[in-house]
Amino acid sequence: QVQVVESGGGSVQPGGSLRLSCAASGSIPIRYVMGWYRQAPGKQRELVATNTLGAIQSRANYGDAVRGRFTISRDNAKKTVYLQMNNLAPEDTGVYYCKFRNLDTRDESWGQGTQVTVSS
């Protein structure tokens, strides 16, 4: 179906920045949403940011913990979503997963995740 691959994770100090990328491939529909979720050890996966991709319109949504610090953007031609993470804090540490959702069929695809570690 659709495959997504994340990249850009790493280890940074508090206050630092990282830029994550998620590229989709396969049978990509016209209407879909791509976004980022994260999961700390022993915790449930939570929303980071999503971006609904369509032929004309787009819409961004952010989790409360990251709003104002993270920015999601897209490249429709490349079927790629980016997550610019600024002013990172230790609480941002976790595995960041890219999610692809087909808005017509409701099918979902998840990437394998990329580790983000924020520590001194």
Side-chain angles (χ1 to χ4, degrees):
Q1 296 293 311
V2 175
Q3 294 80 43
V4 290
V5 179
E6 308 98 331
S7 62
S11 181
V12 298
Q13 294 182 339
S17 298
L18 284 174
R19 187 192 187 214
L20 306 183
S21 299
C22 175
S25 62
S27 183
I28 301 174
I30 299 298
R31 298 176 62 250
Y32 61 92
V33 59
M34 294 181 67
W36 294 93
Y37 294 75
R38 68 185 183 186
Q39 187 171 20
K43 304 293 184 179
Q44 290 187 332
R45 196 169 299 181
E46 65 176 352
L47 169 71
V48 177
T50 60
N51 189 211
T52 301
L53 306 177
I56 300 175
Q57 301 182 42
S58 64
R59 181 176 62 190
N61 186 50
Y62 295 94
D64 291 340
V66 307
R67 188 176 295 108
R69 298 186 297 120
F70 293 7
T71 303
I72 188 170
S73 60
R74 64 183 178 126
D75 186 325
N76 286 336
K78 297 181 179 179
K79 300 298 186 292
T80 299
V81 167
Y82 306 93
L83 183 69
Q84 180 66 45
M85 304 185 294
N86 296 326
N87 195 23
L88 286 163
E91 294 76 26
D92 297 315
T93 295
V95 179
Y96 284 67
Y97 296 91
C98 180
K99 176 185 175 182
F100 182 100
R101 186 174 186 179
N102 186 326
L103 293 176
D104 295 321
T105 67
R106 308 303 180 105
D107 291 339
E108 296 181 348
S109 299
W110 291 86
Q112 293 184 341
T114 184
Q115 177 70 43
V116 172
T117 302
V118 185
S119 63
S120 300

Short mmCIF file of all heavy atoms in Angstrom, two decimals, residues 36-105:
data_model
loop_
_atom_site.label_atom_id
_atom_site.label_comp_id
_atom_site.label_asym_id
_atom_site.label_seq_id
_atom_site.Cartn_x
_atom_site.Cartn_y
_atom_site.Cartn_z
N TRP A 36 2.89 13.54 12.60
CA TRP A 36 3.90 13.05 13.51
C TRP A 36 3.29 12.74 14.87
O TRP A 36 2.51 13.54 15.41
CB TRP A 36 5.03 14.06 13.68
CG TRP A 36 5.83 14.28 12.44
CD1 TRP A 36 5.63 15.25 11.50
CD2 TRP A 36 6.95 13.52 12.01
NE1 TRP A 36 6.56 15.14 10.50
CE2 TRP A 36 7.39 14.09 10.79
CE3 TRP A 36 7.63 12.42 12.53
CZ2 TRP A 36 8.49 13.58 10.09
CZ3 TRP A 36 8.71 11.92 11.83
CH2 TRP A 36 9.13 12.50 10.64
N TYR A 37 3.65 11.60 15.40
CA TYR A 37 3.31 11.20 16.75
C TYR A 37 4.60 10.81 17.46
O TYR A 37 5.59 10.47 16.82
CB TYR A 37 2.33 10.04 16.74
CG TYR A 37 0.97 10.40 16.17
CD1 TYR A 37 0.80 10.55 14.79
CD2 TYR A 37 -0.13 10.58 16.99
CE1 TYR A 37 -0.43 10.89 14.26
CE2 TYR A 37 -1.37 10.91 16.47
CZ TYR A 37 -1.51 11.07 15.11
OH TYR A 37 -2.74 11.40 14.60
N ARG A 38 4.56 10.84 18.77
CA ARG A 38 5.74 10.45 19.52
C ARG A 38 5.34 9.57 20.70
O ARG A 38 4.22 9.62 21.18
CB ARG A 38 6.53 11.67 20.01
CG ARG A 38 5.81 12.49 21.06
CD ARG A 38 6.61 13.75 21.38
NE ARG A 38 5.99 14.53 22.44
CZ ARG A 38 6.43 15.72 22.83
NH1 ARG A 38 7.50 16.27 22.24
NH2 ARG A 38 5.81 16.37 23.81
N GLN A 39 6.31 8.79 21.16
CA GLN A 39 6.07 7.87 22.25
C GLN A 39 7.31 7.76 23.12
O GLN A 39 8.39 7.41 22.63
CB GLN A 39 5.66 6.50 21.72
CG GLN A 39 5.23 5.52 22.79
CD GLN A 39 4.63 4.26 22.20
OE1 GLN A 39 4.86 3.94 21.04
NE2 GLN A 39 3.86 3.55 22.99
N ALA A 40 7.14 8.06 24.38
CA ALA A 40 8.19 7.86 25.36
C ALA A 40 8.06 6.46 25.94
O ALA A 40 6.98 5.87 25.93
CB ALA A 40 8.12 8.91 26.46
N PRO A 41 9.15 5.89 26.47
CA PRO A 41 9.08 4.55 27.05
C PRO A 41 8.00 4.44 28.12
O PRO A 41 7.93 5.27 29.03
CB PRO A 41 10.48 4.35 27.64
CG PRO A 41 11.35 5.23 26.82
CD PRO A 41 10.51 6.44 26.50
N GLY A 42 7.16 3.43 28.00
CA GLY A 42 6.10 3.22 28.96
C GLY A 42 4.91 4.14 28.82
O GLY A 42 3.98 4.06 29.62
N LYS A 43 4.92 4.98 27.81
CA LYS A 43 3.83 5.93 27.60
C LYS A 43 3.07 5.62 26.33
O LYS A 43 3.56 4.91 25.44
CB LYS A 43 4.36 7.36 27.53
CG LYS A 43 5.18 7.79 28.74
CD LYS A 43 4.34 7.89 29.99
CE LYS A 43 5.16 8.42 31.15
NZ LYS A 43 4.35 8.54 32.38
N GLN A 44 1.87 6.14 26.24
CA GLN A 44 1.09 6.00 25.03
C GLN A 44 1.56 6.97 23.97
O GLN A 44 2.11 8.03 24.27
CB GLN A 44 -0.40 6.23 25.32
CG GLN A 44 -1.06 5.14 26.14
CD GLN A 44 -2.56 5.33 26.23
OE1 GLN A 44 -3.06 6.45 26.17
NE2 GLN A 44 -3.29 4.23 26.39
N ARG A 45 1.34 6.59 22.75
CA ARG A 45 1.68 7.45 21.65
C ARG A 45 0.78 8.69 21.64
O ARG A 45 -0.43 8.59 21.85
CB ARG A 45 1.55 6.69 20.33
CG ARG A 45 2.22 7.33 19.15
CD ARG A 45 2.26 6.35 17.98
NE ARG A 45 3.03 5.15 18.30
CZ ARG A 45 3.23 4.15 17.45
NH1 ARG A 45 2.74 4.20 16.22
NH2 ARG A 45 3.93 3.09 17.84
N GLU A 46 1.36 9.86 21.40
CA GLU A 46 0.61 11.10 21.44
C GLU A 46 0.84 11.91 20.18
O GLU A 46 1.87 11.80 19.51
CB GLU A 46 0.98 11.93 22.67
CG GLU A 46 2.41 12.43 22.67
CD GLU A 46 2.72 13.32 23.86
OE1 GLU A 46 1.79 13.68 24.60
OE2 GLU A 46 3.91 13.67 24.05
N LEU A 47 -0.12 12.75 19.89
CA LEU A 47 -0.06 13.61 18.72
C LEU A 47 1.01 14.66 18.88
O LEU A 47 1.12 15.32 19.92
CB LEU A 47 -1.41 14.28 18.49
CG LEU A 47 -1.44 15.41 17.46
CD1 LEU A 47 -1.27 14.85 16.05
CD2 LEU A 47 -2.74 16.19 17.57
N VAL A 48 1.79 14.85 17.84
CA VAL A 48 2.72 15.97 17.76
C VAL A 48 2.18 17.02 16.79
O VAL A 48 1.95 18.17 17.16
CB VAL A 48 4.12 15.51 17.31
CG1 VAL A 48 5.05 16.71 17.16
CG2 VAL A 48 4.69 14.51 18.31
N ALA A 49 1.98 16.63 15.55
CA ALA A 49 1.46 17.54 14.54
C ALA A 49 0.96 16.75 13.36
O ALA A 49 1.49 15.68 13.04
CB ALA A 49 2.53 18.55 14.10
N THR A 50 -0.06 17.27 12.69
CA THR A 50 -0.56 16.66 11.47
C THR A 50 -0.75 17.73 10.41
O THR A 50 -0.94 18.90 10.72
CB THR A 50 -1.90 15.92 11.68
OG1 THR A 50 -2.89 16.84 12.16
CG2 THR A 50 -1.74 14.79 12.68
N ASN A 51 -0.72 17.30 9.17
CA ASN A 51 -0.92 18.19 8.05
C ASN A 51 -1.75 17.45 7.00
O ASN A 51 -1.29 16.45 6.46
CB ASN A 51 0.42 18.64 7.46
CG ASN A 51 0.28 19.74 6.42
OD1 ASN A 51 1.07 19.82 5.50
ND2 ASN A 51 -0.72 20.59 6.57
N THR A 52 -2.96 17.93 6.78
CA THR A 52 -3.83 17.33 5.78
C THR A 52 -3.42 17.81 4.40
O THR A 52 -3.37 19.02 4.14
CB THR A 52 -5.30 17.69 6.05
OG1 THR A 52 -5.66 17.24 7.35
CG2 THR A 52 -6.21 17.03 5.02
N LEU A 53 -3.13 16.87 3.54
CA LEU A 53 -2.65 17.17 2.20
C LEU A 53 -3.74 16.88 1.18
O LEU A 53 -4.29 15.78 1.15
CB LEU A 53 -1.41 16.35 1.88
CG LEU A 53 -0.26 16.45 2.88
CD1 LEU A 53 0.88 15.53 2.47
CD2 LEU A 53 0.22 17.88 3.01
N GLY A 54 -4.03 17.85 0.34
CA GLY A 54 -5.00 17.70 -0.72
C GLY A 54 -4.56 18.44 -1.96
O GLY A 54 -3.46 19.01 -2.01
N ALA A 55 -5.42 18.42 -2.95
CA ALA A 55 -5.09 19.07 -4.21
C ALA A 55 -5.02 20.59 -4.07
O ALA A 55 -4.24 21.24 -4.77
CB ALA A 55 -6.10 18.69 -5.29
N ILE A 56 -5.82 21.15 -3.16
CA ILE A 56 -5.90 22.59 -3.03
C ILE A 56 -5.60 23.07 -1.61
O ILE A 56 -4.77 23.95 -1.40
CB ILE A 56 -7.29 23.11 -3.46
CG1 ILE A 56 -7.56 22.75 -4.93
CG2 ILE A 56 -7.38 24.62 -3.26
CD1 ILE A 56 -8.94 23.11 -5.39
N GLN A 57 -6.27 22.47 -0.64
CA GLN A 57 -6.22 22.95 0.73
C GLN A 57 -5.26 22.15 1.59
O GLN A 57 -4.94 20.99 1.29
CB GLN A 57 -7.62 22.91 1.36
CG GLN A 57 -8.66 23.72 0.64
CD GLN A 57 -10.00 23.68 1.34
OE1 GLN A 57 -10.08 23.76 2.56
NE2 GLN A 57 -11.06 23.55 0.56
N SER A 58 -4.82 22.77 2.67
CA SER A 58 -4.02 22.10 3.67
C SER A 58 -4.43 22.63 5.04
O SER A 58 -4.92 23.74 5.16
CB SER A 58 -2.53 22.30 3.44
OG SER A 58 -2.18 23.66 3.57
N ARG A 59 -4.21 21.82 6.04
CA ARG A 59 -4.58 22.20 7.40
C ARG A 59 -3.60 21.57 8.38
O ARG A 59 -3.32 20.37 8.29
CB ARG A 59 -6.00 21.75 7.70
CG ARG A 59 -6.50 22.11 9.09
CD ARG A 59 -7.95 21.71 9.24
NE ARG A 59 -8.14 20.28 9.08
CZ ARG A 59 -9.33 19.69 8.97
NH1 ARG A 59 -10.43 20.42 8.98
NH2 ARG A 59 -9.40 18.37 8.83
N ALA A 60 -3.12 22.36 9.31
CA ALA A 60 -2.16 21.90 10.29
C ALA A 60 -2.81 21.83 11.67
O ALA A 60 -3.66 22.65 12.02
CB ALA A 60 -0.94 22.80 10.34
N ASN A 61 -2.39 20.86 12.44
CA ASN A 61 -2.87 20.69 13.80
C ASN A 61 -1.69 20.30 14.69
O ASN A 61 -0.86 19.48 14.29
CB ASN A 61 -3.96 19.62 13.86
CG ASN A 61 -4.58 19.50 15.23
OD1 ASN A 61 -4.99 20.49 15.83
ND2 ASN A 61 -4.67 18.28 15.74
N TYR A 62 -1.63 20.88 15.89
CA TYR A 62 -0.51 20.64 16.79
C TYR A 62 -0.98 20.19 18.16
O TYR A 62 -2.03 20.61 18.64
CB TYR A 62 0.32 21.91 16.97
CG TYR A 62 1.01 22.38 15.72
CD1 TYR A 62 0.40 23.32 14.90
CD2 TYR A 62 2.25 21.88 15.35
CE1 TYR A 62 1.03 23.76 13.74
CE2 TYR A 62 2.88 22.31 14.20
CZ TYR A 62 2.26 23.25 13.39
OH TYR A 62 2.89 23.68 12.25
N GLY A 63 -0.18 19.33 18.76
CA GLY A 63 -0.41 18.98 20.14
C GLY A 63 -0.08 20.15 21.05
O GLY A 63 0.77 20.99 20.73
N ASP A 64 -0.74 20.21 22.20
CA ASP A 64 -0.55 21.33 23.10
C ASP A 64 0.90 21.48 23.56
O ASP A 64 1.37 22.60 23.77
CB ASP A 64 -1.46 21.18 24.32
CG ASP A 64 -2.93 21.34 23.99
OD1 ASP A 64 -3.24 21.92 22.93
OD2 ASP A 64 -3.77 20.89 24.80
N ALA A 65 1.58 20.38 23.74
CA ALA A 65 2.93 20.42 24.28
C ALA A 65 3.96 21.01 23.32
O ALA A 65 5.02 21.44 23.75
CB ALA A 65 3.38 19.03 24.72
N VAL A 66 3.64 21.03 22.03
CA VAL A 66 4.62 21.46 21.05
C VAL A 66 4.21 22.72 20.31
O VAL A 66 5.03 23.29 19.57
CB VAL A 66 4.92 20.34 20.03
CG1 VAL A 66 5.31 19.06 20.75
CG2 VAL A 66 3.72 20.11 19.12
N ARG A 67 2.99 23.14 20.48
CA ARG A 67 2.49 24.31 19.76
C ARG A 67 3.34 25.53 20.07
O ARG A 67 3.60 25.85 21.23
CB ARG A 67 1.03 24.56 20.10
CG ARG A 67 0.38 25.65 19.24
CD ARG A 67 -1.11 25.80 19.56
NE ARG A 67 -1.87 24.61 19.20
CZ ARG A 67 -2.38 23.75 20.08
NH1 ARG A 67 -2.22 23.95 21.38
NH2 ARG A 67 -3.05 22.69 19.65
N GLY A 68 3.76 26.22 19.02
CA GLY A 68 4.61 27.39 19.18
C GLY A 68 6.08 27.09 19.06
O GLY A 68 6.88 28.01 18.87
N ARG A 69 6.47 25.82 19.18
CA ARG A 69 7.87 25.43 19.07
C ARG A 69 8.14 24.58 17.83
O ARG A 69 9.22 24.66 17.25
CB ARG A 69 8.32 24.65 20.30
CG ARG A 69 8.24 25.45 21.59
CD ARG A 69 8.83 24.67 22.77
NE ARG A 69 8.08 23.44 23.04
CZ ARG A 69 8.59 22.22 23.00
NH1 ARG A 69 9.87 22.05 22.70
NH2 ARG A 69 7.84 21.16 23.28
N PHE A 70 7.17 23.77 17.46
CA PHE A 70 7.32 22.88 16.30
C PHE A 70 6.51 23.42 15.14
O PHE A 70 5.45 24.03 15.33
CB PHE A 70 6.84 21.47 16.62
CG PHE A 70 7.67 20.72 17.63
CD1 PHE A 70 8.69 21.34 18.32
CD2 PHE A 70 7.41 19.38 17.88
CE1 PHE A 70 9.46 20.65 19.25
CE2 PHE A 70 8.16 18.68 18.80
CZ PHE A 70 9.18 19.30 19.49
N THR A 71 6.99 23.16 13.94
CA THR A 71 6.29 23.56 12.74
C THR A 71 6.28 22.41 11.75
O THR A 71 7.33 21.86 11.43
CB THR A 71 6.94 24.79 12.08
OG1 THR A 71 6.98 25.88 13.02
CG2 THR A 71 6.15 25.22 10.86
N ILE A 72 5.10 22.07 11.27
CA ILE A 72 4.97 21.03 10.26
C ILE A 72 4.80 21.69 8.90
O ILE A 72 4.09 22.69 8.77
CB ILE A 72 3.80 20.07 10.58
CG1 ILE A 72 3.80 18.88 9.63
CG2 ILE A 72 2.47 20.81 10.54
CD1 ILE A 72 2.83 17.77 10.04
N SER A 73 5.45 21.15 7.91
CA SER A 73 5.35 21.66 6.56
C SER A 73 5.32 20.49 5.58
O SER A 73 5.53 19.33 5.98
CB SER A 73 6.50 22.62 6.24
OG SER A 73 7.75 21.97 6.35
N ARG A 74 5.07 20.79 4.34
CA ARG A 74 4.88 19.72 3.37
C ARG A 74 5.44 20.10 2.00
O ARG A 74 5.62 21.27 1.67
CB ARG A 74 3.39 19.42 3.22
CG ARG A 74 2.61 20.60 2.65
CD ARG A 74 1.14 20.34 2.58
NE ARG A 74 0.43 21.51 2.07
CZ ARG A 74 -0.40 21.49 1.04
NH1 ARG A 74 -0.66 20.34 0.42
NH2 ARG A 74 -0.99 22.61 0.63
N ASP A 75 5.69 19.07 1.23
CA ASP A 75 6.05 19.20 -0.16
C ASP A 75 5.19 18.21 -0.92
O ASP A 75 5.45 17.00 -0.90
CB ASP A 75 7.54 18.91 -0.38
CG ASP A 75 7.99 19.18 -1.80
OD1 ASP A 75 7.21 18.96 -2.74
OD2 ASP A 75 9.14 19.62 -1.98
N ASN A 76 4.14 18.70 -1.57
CA ASN A 76 3.19 17.82 -2.23
C ASN A 76 3.83 17.02 -3.37
O ASN A 76 3.49 15.86 -3.57
CB ASN A 76 2.01 18.63 -2.77
CG ASN A 76 1.07 19.08 -1.69
OD1 ASN A 76 1.00 18.49 -0.61
ND2 ASN A 76 0.32 20.14 -1.96
N ALA A 77 4.72 17.66 -4.10
CA ALA A 77 5.36 16.98 -5.22
C ALA A 77 6.19 15.80 -4.75
O ALA A 77 6.22 14.74 -5.39
CB ALA A 77 6.22 17.96 -6.02
N LYS A 78 6.87 15.96 -3.64
CA LYS A 78 7.72 14.91 -3.10
C LYS A 78 6.99 13.98 -2.14
O LYS A 78 7.58 12.99 -1.69
CB LYS A 78 8.94 15.51 -2.40
CG LYS A 78 9.86 16.30 -3.31
CD LYS A 78 11.04 16.85 -2.53
CE LYS A 78 11.98 17.63 -3.43
NZ LYS A 78 13.13 18.18 -2.67
N LYS A 79 5.74 14.31 -1.84
CA LYS A 79 4.97 13.53 -0.88
C LYS A 79 5.73 13.38 0.44
O LYS A 79 5.84 12.29 1.00
CB LYS A 79 4.60 12.17 -1.46
CG LYS A 79 3.76 12.25 -2.73
CD LYS A 79 2.43 12.93 -2.47
CE LYS A 79 1.53 12.88 -3.70
NZ LYS A 79 2.05 13.71 -4.82
N THR A 80 6.24 14.49 0.90
CA THR A 80 7.08 14.51 2.08
C THR A 80 6.57 15.55 3.07
O THR A 80 6.18 16.65 2.68
CB THR A 80 8.54 14.83 1.71
OG1 THR A 80 9.03 13.81 0.82
CG2 THR A 80 9.41 14.87 2.95
N VAL A 81 6.59 15.18 4.33
CA VAL A 81 6.23 16.08 5.42
C VAL A 81 7.44 16.28 6.30
O VAL A 81 8.19 15.34 6.58
CB VAL A 81 5.05 15.52 6.23
CG1 VAL A 81 4.88 16.30 7.54
CG2 VAL A 81 3.77 15.59 5.42
N TYR A 82 7.63 17.51 6.74
CA TYR A 82 8.75 17.86 7.59
C TYR A 82 8.24 18.34 8.94
O TYR A 82 7.14 18.87 9.07
CB TYR A 82 9.59 18.97 6.96
CG TYR A 82 10.05 18.64 5.56
CD1 TYR A 82 9.32 19.05 4.45
CD2 TYR A 82 11.22 17.93 5.34
CE1 TYR A 82 9.73 18.75 3.17
CE2 TYR A 82 11.65 17.63 4.06
CZ TYR A 82 10.90 18.04 2.98
OH TYR A 82 11.32 17.74 1.70
N LEU A 83 9.07 18.15 9.94
CA LEU A 83 8.78 18.65 11.27
C LEU A 83 10.00 19.40 11.77
O LEU A 83 11.03 18.79 12.08
CB LEU A 83 8.42 17.52 12.24
CG LEU A 83 8.02 17.95 13.65
CD1 LEU A 83 6.68 18.68 13.62
CD2 LEU A 83 7.97 16.76 14.60
N GLN A 84 9.89 20.72 11.82
CA GLN A 84 10.95 21.55 12.37
C GLN A 84 10.71 21.70 13.87
O GLN A 84 9.68 22.24 14.28
CB GLN A 84 10.97 22.92 11.69
CG GLN A 84 12.05 23.86 12.22
CD GLN A 84 13.45 23.37 11.92
OE1 GLN A 84 13.74 22.94 10.80
NE2 GLN A 84 14.32 23.42 12.92
N MET A 85 11.65 21.24 14.66
CA MET A 85 11.53 21.25 16.10
C MET A 85 12.55 22.22 16.68
O MET A 85 13.76 22.00 16.55
CB MET A 85 11.74 19.85 16.68
CG MET A 85 10.80 18.81 16.09
SD MET A 85 10.96 17.19 16.88
CE MET A 85 12.63 16.76 16.38
N ASN A 86 12.06 23.28 17.29
CA ASN A 86 12.91 24.30 17.89
C ASN A 86 12.74 24.34 19.39
O ASN A 86 11.71 23.92 19.93
CB ASN A 86 12.60 25.68 17.29
CG ASN A 86 12.90 25.76 15.82
OD1 ASN A 86 13.85 25.15 15.32
ND2 ASN A 86 12.10 26.56 15.10
N ASN A 87 13.75 24.87 20.06
CA ASN A 87 13.72 25.01 21.51
C ASN A 87 13.35 23.69 22.19
O ASN A 87 12.46 23.63 23.04
CB ASN A 87 12.75 26.12 21.93
CG ASN A 87 12.93 26.56 23.36
OD1 ASN A 87 14.01 26.38 23.95
ND2 ASN A 87 11.89 27.12 23.95
N LEU A 88 14.05 22.65 21.81
CA LEU A 88 13.75 21.32 22.33
C LEU A 88 14.05 21.22 23.82
O LEU A 88 15.00 21.83 24.33
CB LEU A 88 14.55 20.28 21.57
CG LEU A 88 14.04 19.98 20.17
CD1 LEU A 88 15.10 19.28 19.34
CD2 LEU A 88 12.77 19.14 20.24
N ALA A 89 13.24 20.45 24.50
CA ALA A 89 13.37 20.22 25.93
C ALA A 89 13.45 18.72 26.20
O ALA A 89 13.07 17.91 25.36
CB ALA A 89 12.18 20.82 26.67
N PRO A 90 13.97 18.32 27.36
CA PRO A 90 14.04 16.89 27.68
C PRO A 90 12.70 16.17 27.57
O PRO A 90 12.68 14.98 27.24
CB PRO A 90 14.55 16.89 29.13
CG PRO A 90 15.37 18.13 29.24
CD PRO A 90 14.64 19.14 28.39
N GLU A 91 11.62 16.87 27.82
CA GLU A 91 10.29 16.28 27.72
C GLU A 91 9.93 15.89 26.29
O GLU A 91 8.95 15.16 26.07
CB GLU A 91 9.23 17.23 28.28
CG GLU A 91 9.35 17.49 29.77
CD GLU A 91 10.49 18.44 30.13
OE1 GLU A 91 10.86 19.27 29.27
OE2 GLU A 91 11.00 18.36 31.26
N ASP A 92 10.68 16.38 25.33
CA ASP A 92 10.43 16.03 23.93
C ASP A 92 11.09 14.72 23.53
O ASP A 92 10.90 14.26 22.41
CB ASP A 92 10.94 17.15 23.01
CG ASP A 92 10.20 18.46 23.23
OD1 ASP A 92 8.95 18.43 23.34
OD2 ASP A 92 10.87 19.51 23.30
N THR A 93 11.85 14.13 24.42
CA THR A 93 12.53 12.88 24.12
C THR A 93 11.55 11.75 23.85
O THR A 93 10.55 11.60 24.56
CB THR A 93 13.46 12.48 25.28
OG1 THR A 93 14.51 13.45 25.41
CG2 THR A 93 14.08 11.12 25.04
N GLY A 94 11.82 10.98 22.82
CA GLY A 94 10.97 9.85 22.50
C GLY A 94 11.21 9.40 21.08
O GLY A 94 12.05 9.94 20.36
N VAL A 95 10.48 8.38 20.69
CA VAL A 95 10.50 7.90 19.32
C VAL A 95 9.41 8.62 18.55
O VAL A 95 8.24 8.60 18.95
CB VAL A 95 10.31 6.38 19.24
CG1 VAL A 95 10.32 5.92 17.79
CG2 VAL A 95 11.40 5.66 20.03
N TYR A 96 9.79 9.23 17.46
CA TYR A 96 8.85 9.99 16.64
C TYR A 96 8.46 9.15 15.43
O TYR A 96 9.31 8.70 14.67
CB TYR A 96 9.47 11.31 16.21
CG TYR A 96 9.49 12.33 17.32
CD1 TYR A 96 10.29 12.15 18.44
CD2 TYR A 96 8.69 13.47 17.25
CE1 TYR A 96 10.30 13.07 19.47
CE2 TYR A 96 8.70 14.40 18.27
CZ TYR A 96 9.50 14.20 19.38
OH TYR A 96 9.51 15.13 20.40
N TYR A 97 7.16 8.96 15.28
CA TYR A 97 6.61 8.14 14.22
C TYR A 97 5.87 8.99 13.21
O TYR A 97 5.12 9.90 13.58
CB TYR A 97 5.65 7.10 14.77
CG TYR A 97 6.28 6.08 15.70
CD1 TYR A 97 6.33 6.31 17.07
CD2 TYR A 97 6.82 4.90 15.20
CE1 TYR A 97 6.89 5.38 17.92
CE2 TYR A 97 7.39 3.97 16.05
CZ TYR A 97 7.42 4.22 17.41
OH TYR A 97 7.98 3.29 18.25
N CYS A 98 6.04 8.67 11.97
CA CYS A 98 5.28 9.30 10.90
C CYS A 98 4.06 8.44 10.59
O CYS A 98 4.14 7.22 10.52
CB CYS A 98 6.16 9.45 9.65
SG CYS A 98 5.32 10.22 8.25
N LYS A 99 2.94 9.11 10.40
CA LYS A 99 1.69 8.43 10.09
C LYS A 99 1.10 8.94 8.79
O LYS A 99 1.04 10.15 8.56
CB LYS A 99 0.68 8.65 11.23
CG LYS A 99 -0.70 8.05 10.98
CD LYS A 99 -1.64 8.42 12.10
CE LYS A 99 -3.06 7.96 11.83
NZ LYS A 99 -3.98 8.36 12.93
N PHE A 100 0.66 8.02 7.97
CA PHE A 100 -0.03 8.34 6.73
C PHE A 100 -1.44 7.78 6.82
O PHE A 100 -1.62 6.62 7.18
CB PHE A 100 0.70 7.71 5.53
CG PHE A 100 0.09 8.02 4.20
CD1 PHE A 100 0.62 9.01 3.40
CD2 PHE A 100 -1.02 7.32 3.75
CE1 PHE A 100 0.06 9.31 2.16
CE2 PHE A 100 -1.59 7.61 2.52
CZ PHE A 100 -1.04 8.61 1.73
N ARG A 101 -2.42 8.61 6.49
CA ARG A 101 -3.80 8.17 6.52
C ARG A 101 -4.52 8.52 5.23
O ARG A 101 -4.54 9.69 4.83
CB ARG A 101 -4.54 8.78 7.71
CG ARG A 101 -5.96 8.23 7.87
CD ARG A 101 -6.61 8.74 9.13
NE ARG A 101 -7.90 8.11 9.37
CZ ARG A 101 -8.68 8.36 10.41
NH1 ARG A 101 -8.28 9.23 11.32
NH2 ARG A 101 -9.84 7.73 10.54
N ASN A 102 -5.09 7.52 4.62
CA ASN A 102 -5.89 7.69 3.43
C ASN A 102 -7.28 8.17 3.86
O ASN A 102 -8.00 7.46 4.56
CB ASN A 102 -5.99 6.36 2.67
CG ASN A 102 -6.69 6.48 1.33
OD1 ASN A 102 -7.61 7.28 1.18
ND2 ASN A 102 -6.26 5.69 0.36
N LEU A 103 -7.65 9.37 3.46
CA LEU A 103 -8.92 9.95 3.89
C LEU A 103 -10.13 9.33 3.20
O LEU A 103 -11.25 9.52 3.66
CB LEU A 103 -8.91 11.46 3.67
CG LEU A 103 -7.94 12.25 4.54
CD1 LEU A 103 -7.95 13.71 4.17
CD2 LEU A 103 -8.27 12.07 6.02
N ASP A 104 -9.91 8.60 2.14
CA ASP A 104 -11.00 7.93 1.45
C ASP A 104 -11.28 6.55 2.03
O ASP A 104 -12.44 6.20 2.26
CB ASP A 104 -10.70 7.81 -0.05
CG ASP A 104 -10.62 9.16 -0.73
OD1 ASP A 104 -11.43 10.04 -0.39
OD2 ASP A 104 -9.76 9.33 -1.61
N THR A 105 -10.26 5.78 2.25
CA THR A 105 -10.41 4.43 2.76
C THR A 105 -10.18 4.30 4.25
O THR A 105 -10.50 3.26 4.84
CB THR A 105 -9.44 3.47 2.04
OG1 THR A 105 -8.09 3.81 2.40
CG2 THR A 105 -9.59 3.59 0.53
#
